[in-house]
PDB file of all heavy atoms in Angstrom:
ATOM      1  N   LEU A 253      -6.867  25.288  -2.236  1.00  0.00           N
ATOM      2  CA  LEU A 253      -7.334  24.787  -3.512  1.00  0.00           C
ATOM      3  C   LEU A 253      -6.927  23.324  -3.658  1.00  0.00           C
ATOM      4  O   LEU A 253      -5.946  22.875  -3.054  1.00  0.00           O
ATOM      5  CB  LEU A 253      -6.749  25.598  -4.671  1.00  0.00           C
ATOM      6  CG  LEU A 253      -7.065  27.091  -4.664  1.00  0.00           C
ATOM      7  CD1 LEU A 253      -5.913  27.867  -4.040  1.00  0.00           C
ATOM      8  CD2 LEU A 253      -7.308  27.608  -6.075  1.00  0.00           C
ATOM      9  N   THR A 254      -7.659  22.585  -4.470  1.00  0.00           N
ATOM     10  CA  THR A 254      -7.286  21.203  -4.746  1.00  0.00           C
ATOM     11  C   THR A 254      -5.840  21.130  -5.216  1.00  0.00           C
ATOM     12  O   THR A 254      -5.058  20.274  -4.786  1.00  0.00           O
ATOM     13  CB  THR A 254      -8.212  20.620  -5.829  1.00  0.00           C
ATOM     14  OG1 THR A 254      -9.548  20.566  -5.326  1.00  0.00           O
ATOM     15  CG2 THR A 254      -7.768  19.225  -6.245  1.00  0.00           C
ATOM     16  N   GLU A 255      -5.480  22.049  -6.096  1.00  0.00           N
ATOM     17  CA  GLU A 255      -4.147  22.012  -6.709  1.00  0.00           C
ATOM     18  C   GLU A 255      -3.013  22.259  -5.720  1.00  0.00           C
ATOM     19  O   GLU A 255      -1.873  21.842  -5.949  1.00  0.00           O
ATOM     20  CB  GLU A 255      -4.068  23.045  -7.838  1.00  0.00           C
ATOM     21  CG  GLU A 255      -4.894  22.694  -9.070  1.00  0.00           C
ATOM     22  CD  GLU A 255      -6.317  23.226  -9.018  1.00  0.00           C
ATOM     23  OE1 GLU A 255      -6.790  23.567  -7.905  1.00  0.00           O
ATOM     24  OE2 GLU A 255      -6.953  23.313 -10.075  1.00  0.00           O
ATOM     25  N   THR A 256      -3.293  22.949  -4.620  1.00  0.00           N
ATOM     26  CA  THR A 256      -2.251  23.209  -3.620  1.00  0.00           C
ATOM     27  C   THR A 256      -2.328  22.235  -2.449  1.00  0.00           C
ATOM     28  O   THR A 256      -1.579  22.371  -1.485  1.00  0.00           O
ATOM     29  CB  THR A 256      -2.364  24.651  -3.085  1.00  0.00           C
ATOM     30  OG1 THR A 256      -3.651  24.827  -2.483  1.00  0.00           O
ATOM     31  CG2 THR A 256      -2.162  25.663  -4.194  1.00  0.00           C
ATOM     32  N   GLY A 257      -3.232  21.262  -2.534  1.00  0.00           N
ATOM     33  CA  GLY A 257      -3.369  20.301  -1.459  1.00  0.00           C
ATOM     34  C   GLY A 257      -4.391  20.710  -0.419  1.00  0.00           C
ATOM     35  O   GLY A 257      -4.511  20.056   0.620  1.00  0.00           O
ATOM     36  N   THR A 258      -5.148  21.779  -0.680  1.00  0.00           N
ATOM     37  CA  THR A 258      -6.170  22.353   0.207  1.00  0.00           C
ATOM     38  C   THR A 258      -5.564  22.934   1.486  1.00  0.00           C
ATOM     39  O   THR A 258      -4.425  22.648   1.830  1.00  0.00           O
ATOM     40  CB  THR A 258      -7.285  21.368   0.599  1.00  0.00           C
ATOM     41  OG1 THR A 258      -6.818  20.493   1.613  1.00  0.00           O
ATOM     42  CG2 THR A 258      -7.777  20.554  -0.578  1.00  0.00           C
ATOM     43  N   CYS A 259      -6.350  23.731   2.177  1.00  0.00           N
ATOM     44  CA  CYS A 259      -6.007  24.263   3.510  1.00  0.00           C
ATOM     45  C   CYS A 259      -4.640  24.953   3.553  1.00  0.00           C
ATOM     46  O   CYS A 259      -3.709  24.484   4.208  1.00  0.00           O
ATOM     47  CB  CYS A 259      -6.044  23.162   4.559  1.00  0.00           C
ATOM     48  SG  CYS A 259      -7.669  22.476   4.829  1.00  0.00           S
ATOM     49  N   ASP A 260      -4.534  26.071   2.878  1.00  0.00           N
ATOM     50  CA  ASP A 260      -3.297  26.844   2.892  1.00  0.00           C
ATOM     51  C   ASP A 260      -3.332  27.978   3.916  1.00  0.00           C
ATOM     52  O   ASP A 260      -2.292  28.411   4.404  1.00  0.00           O
ATOM     53  CB  ASP A 260      -3.033  27.428   1.498  1.00  0.00           C
ATOM     54  CG  ASP A 260      -2.888  26.341   0.453  1.00  0.00           C
ATOM     55  OD1 ASP A 260      -2.039  25.454   0.652  1.00  0.00           O
ATOM     56  OD2 ASP A 260      -3.629  26.351  -0.540  1.00  0.00           O
ATOM     57  N   PHE A 261      -4.534  28.487   4.203  1.00  0.00           N
ATOM     58  CA  PHE A 261      -4.717  29.533   5.205  1.00  0.00           C
ATOM     59  C   PHE A 261      -5.711  29.054   6.253  1.00  0.00           C
ATOM     60  O   PHE A 261      -6.641  28.305   5.954  1.00  0.00           O
ATOM     61  CB  PHE A 261      -5.275  30.811   4.565  1.00  0.00           C
ATOM     62  CG  PHE A 261      -4.273  31.635   3.807  1.00  0.00           C
ATOM     63  CD1 PHE A 261      -3.977  31.345   2.484  1.00  0.00           C
ATOM     64  CD2 PHE A 261      -3.645  32.716   4.403  1.00  0.00           C
ATOM     65  CE1 PHE A 261      -3.077  32.113   1.765  1.00  0.00           C
ATOM     66  CE2 PHE A 261      -2.738  33.493   3.700  1.00  0.00           C
ATOM     67  CZ  PHE A 261      -2.442  33.195   2.381  1.00  0.00           C
ATOM     68  N   PHE A 262      -5.529  29.559   7.488  1.00  0.00           N
ATOM     69  CA  PHE A 262      -6.399  29.167   8.589  1.00  0.00           C
ATOM     70  C   PHE A 262      -6.810  30.386   9.411  1.00  0.00           C
ATOM     71  O   PHE A 262      -5.967  31.211   9.767  1.00  0.00           O
ATOM     72  CB  PHE A 262      -5.685  28.182   9.530  1.00  0.00           C
ATOM     73  CG  PHE A 262      -5.247  26.905   8.872  1.00  0.00           C
ATOM     74  CD1 PHE A 262      -4.050  26.832   8.169  1.00  0.00           C
ATOM     75  CD2 PHE A 262      -6.026  25.761   8.949  1.00  0.00           C
ATOM     76  CE1 PHE A 262      -3.633  25.669   7.560  1.00  0.00           C
ATOM     77  CE2 PHE A 262      -5.620  24.579   8.341  1.00  0.00           C
ATOM     78  CZ  PHE A 262      -4.428  24.529   7.647  1.00  0.00           C
ATOM     79  N   VAL A 263      -8.108  30.477   9.702  1.00  0.00           N
ATOM     80  CA  VAL A 263      -8.599  31.408  10.712  1.00  0.00           C
ATOM     81  C   VAL A 263      -8.920  30.558  11.936  1.00  0.00           C
ATOM     82  O   VAL A 263      -9.808  29.708  11.889  1.00  0.00           O
ATOM     83  CB  VAL A 263      -9.856  32.169  10.244  1.00  0.00           C
ATOM     84  CG1 VAL A 263     -10.450  32.983  11.393  1.00  0.00           C
ATOM     85  CG2 VAL A 263      -9.514  33.087   9.076  1.00  0.00           C
ATOM     86  N   ASP A 264      -8.186  30.763  13.009  1.00  0.00           N
ATOM     87  CA  ASP A 264      -8.366  29.960  14.214  1.00  0.00           C
ATOM     88  C   ASP A 264      -9.534  30.497  15.036  1.00  0.00           C
ATOM     89  O   ASP A 264      -9.695  31.713  15.177  1.00  0.00           O
ATOM     90  CB  ASP A 264      -7.092  29.993  15.055  1.00  0.00           C
ATOM     91  CG  ASP A 264      -5.879  29.521  14.280  1.00  0.00           C
ATOM     92  OD1 ASP A 264      -5.962  28.448  13.667  1.00  0.00           O
ATOM     93  OD2 ASP A 264      -4.851  30.237  14.272  1.00  0.00           O
ATOM     94  N   PRO A 265     -10.362  29.596  15.608  1.00  0.00           N
ATOM     95  CA  PRO A 265     -11.521  30.053  16.382  1.00  0.00           C
ATOM     96  C   PRO A 265     -11.217  31.106  17.446  1.00  0.00           C
ATOM     97  O   PRO A 265     -11.960  32.086  17.560  1.00  0.00           O
ATOM     98  CB  PRO A 265     -12.062  28.748  16.987  1.00  0.00           C
ATOM     99  CG  PRO A 265     -11.712  27.709  15.974  1.00  0.00           C
ATOM    100  CD  PRO A 265     -10.354  28.121  15.462  1.00  0.00           C
ATOM    101  N   PRO A 266     -10.138  30.982  18.235  1.00  0.00           N
ATOM    102  CA  PRO A 266      -9.885  32.023  19.238  1.00  0.00           C
ATOM    103  C   PRO A 266      -9.603  33.395  18.634  1.00  0.00           C
ATOM    104  O   PRO A 266      -9.770  34.422  19.302  1.00  0.00           O
ATOM    105  CB  PRO A 266      -8.656  31.496  19.997  1.00  0.00           C
ATOM    106  CG  PRO A 266      -8.649  30.026  19.751  1.00  0.00           C
ATOM    107  CD  PRO A 266      -9.187  29.868  18.364  1.00  0.00           C
ATOM    108  N   GLU A 267      -9.161  33.412  17.362  1.00  0.00           N
ATOM    109  CA  GLU A 267      -8.820  34.672  16.696  1.00  0.00           C
ATOM    110  C   GLU A 267      -9.897  35.124  15.728  1.00  0.00           C
ATOM    111  O   GLU A 267      -9.689  36.088  14.984  1.00  0.00           O
ATOM    112  CB  GLU A 267      -7.498  34.496  15.924  1.00  0.00           C
ATOM    113  CG  GLU A 267      -6.329  34.040  16.772  1.00  0.00           C
ATOM    114  CD  GLU A 267      -5.954  35.079  17.816  1.00  0.00           C
ATOM    115  OE1 GLU A 267      -6.054  36.280  17.500  1.00  0.00           O
ATOM    116  OE2 GLU A 267      -5.597  34.687  18.943  1.00  0.00           O
ATOM    117  N   TYR A 268     -11.052  34.441  15.736  1.00  0.00           N
ATOM    118  CA  TYR A 268     -12.029  34.707  14.683  1.00  0.00           C
ATOM    119  C   TYR A 268     -12.471  36.164  14.630  1.00  0.00           C
ATOM    120  O   TYR A 268     -12.531  36.762  13.550  1.00  0.00           O
ATOM    121  CB  TYR A 268     -13.268  33.804  14.797  1.00  0.00           C
ATOM    122  CG  TYR A 268     -14.246  34.134  13.699  1.00  0.00           C
ATOM    123  CD1 TYR A 268     -14.000  33.711  12.395  1.00  0.00           C
ATOM    124  CD2 TYR A 268     -15.339  34.969  13.928  1.00  0.00           C
ATOM    125  CE1 TYR A 268     -14.839  34.083  11.359  1.00  0.00           C
ATOM    126  CE2 TYR A 268     -16.181  35.339  12.901  1.00  0.00           C
ATOM    127  CZ  TYR A 268     -15.929  34.894  11.618  1.00  0.00           C
ATOM    128  OH  TYR A 268     -16.744  35.293  10.587  1.00  0.00           O
ATOM    129  N   ASP A 269     -12.796  36.752  15.749  1.00  0.00           N
ATOM    130  CA  ASP A 269     -13.323  38.116  15.729  1.00  0.00           C
ATOM    131  C   ASP A 269     -12.329  39.096  15.112  1.00  0.00           C
ATOM    132  O   ASP A 269     -12.708  40.000  14.369  1.00  0.00           O
ATOM    133  CB  ASP A 269     -13.709  38.566  17.140  1.00  0.00           C
ATOM    134  CG  ASP A 269     -14.934  37.828  17.654  1.00  0.00           C
ATOM    135  OD1 ASP A 269     -15.769  37.405  16.819  1.00  0.00           O
ATOM    136  OD2 ASP A 269     -15.058  37.649  18.878  1.00  0.00           O
TER     137      ASP A 269
END
Side-chain angles (χ1 to χ4, degrees):
L253 301 97
T254 295
E255 290 90 342
T256 60
T258 78
C259 295
D260 300 305
F261 283 85
F262 300 83
V263 172
D264 303 310
E267 303 296 324
Y268 179 76
D269 290 332

